[in-house]
Amino acid sequence: METSALSCLANIFVDPKQAFTDIRSHTRWLWYPFVICILAAIAFSLWYFLTVDMNWFQEQTLANLAHRFSAEQMDQMRQHMHFSRSRFVFGALIGTPLAFGAIYLLQTVYFLLVSKLIGSETQSFGQWFSFTAWTSLPNVVASIGSAIAYLFSSGKAVSLYQLDVTSLNTLIFRIPAGSHWFNLVQYLHLTLFWTLGLMIYGFALWTKKSIGKSAFLVLIPYVLIFAVVVIIKLV
């Protein structure tokens, strides 16, 4: 059966083994998941910031910062911080592609270096970049979930955190936005674990290492970063 980028878009969710086999020899297909993830994130961000009540959004943002600053500092912030739709729209259009590109680049360099260090079959930079892009496709599910949540929300005074329906904080922990641990817990998403699962499985297939060794190599940067953040917050 002839493979295509479109069939790979489905296989990465339902038949990842076939998907990883196909994308290994079709590095040009990386533009499909790369563009789709970026467009999905941009589309939701634009919809949100073009329709949300900006006065409410500004007050809500400042309220979440209240625990870090004195009353006098908060008054100064209210006087000098003016949120505008254009600012956030510009940020979504420019910042989103840059953020995705930077993250993909760092992950690609990591996989390239690690695969060389463990002496696995050589994969090119383009192949590992494609690997990173394809394994990040679950992010689209997060964007769609947020869009659906916003569609069915009551009014336009709803925070992005409430709409982040794949976050474990939204689903389970319910730590308030002003909490010391909020940002850390909010980062934990079902789609993150989904992506990590794909990375571990795909890394094992490409390098012919065991799932256990692949899990260790894929997860160690995340574990180290998480540990550092926890230590900083505890100090």
Side-chain angles (χ1 to χ4, degrees):
M1 181 178 178
E2 184 178 356
T3 60
S4 67
L6 292 179
S7 65
C8 200
L9 287 171
N11 286 336
I12 198 67
F13 294 105
V14 299
D15 189 1
K17 183 176 182 180
Q18 183 62 51
F20 285 120
T21 299
D22 294 337
I23 64 178
R24 194 173 187 178
S25 56
H26 295 88
T27 55
R28 292 184 179 181
W29 289 357
L30 69 87
W31 292 108
Y32 284 82
F34 186 71
V35 171
I36 289 172
C37 284
I38 291 175
L39 289 181
I42 289 177
F44 170 68
S45 295
L46 289 180
W47 180 26
Y48 179 80
F49 287 115
L50 287 172
T51 56
V52 70
D53 183 333
M54 289 304 296
N55 291 327
W56 174 89
F57 180 80
Q58 178 171 331
E59 287 303 314
Q60 185 69 19
T61 302
L62 291 172
N64 292 335
L65 297 174
H67 70 290
R68 302 181 186 178
F69 303 96
S70 66
E72 183 179 350
Q73 289 175 319
M74 290 301 300
D75 288 337
Q76 292 178 348
M77 292 174 65
R78 283 190 173 86
Q79 293 174 13
H80 296 94
M81 288 181 65
H82 299 287
F83 291 19
S84 65
R85 294 190 192 279
S86 58
R87 174 185 174 185
F88 288 97
V89 167
F90 180 80
L93 291 173
I94 304 300
T96 303
L98 291 177
F100 271 87
I103 293 171
Y104 287 6
L105 181 60
L106 288 173
Q107 291 177 325
T108 298
V109 171
Y110 175 77
F111 285 127
L112 182 65
L113 293 176
V114 168
S115 63
K116 289 182 179 295
L117 288 173
I118 64 177
S120 67
E121 183 179 344
T122 303
Q123 317 291 336
S124 69
F125 179 88
Q127 286 175 311
W128 282 119
F129 196 98
S130 179
F131 176 90
T132 299
W134 282 101
T135 54
S136 297
L137 258 181
N139 288 319
V140 175
V141 175
S143 296
I144 294 173
S146 294
I148 293 174
Y150 191 44
L151 178 65
F152 288 97
S153 64
S154 55
K156 299 305 176 186
V158 56
S159 72
L160 285 170
Y161 305 127
Q162 292 173 289
L163 301 176
D164 195 0
V165 294
T166 62
S167 169
L168 293 187
N169 189 47
T170 304
L171 295 171
I172 301 173
F173 299 111
R174 304 299 177 100
I175 296 176
S179 171
H180 186 62
W181 296 98
F182 173 79
N183 290 331
L184 181 64
V185 178
Q186 189 70 25
Y187 175 72
L188 300 176
H189 287 76
L190 294 178
T191 49
L192 171 63
F193 296 114
W194 190 349
T195 289
L196 291 176
L198 286 174
M199 285 183 172
I200 292 168
Y201 182 64
F203 190 88
L205 286 176
W206 280 23
T207 62
K208 296 181 173 59
K209 300 298 180 181
S210 68
I211 289 293
K213 290 180 180 179
S214 297
F216 173 79
L217 293 170
V218 168
L219 295 177
I220 190 169
Y222 294 87
V223 173
L224 289 176
I225 292 172
F226 191 85
V228 169
V229 174
V230 170
I231 292 171
I232 291 174
K233 288 184 175 295
L234 289 174
V235 172

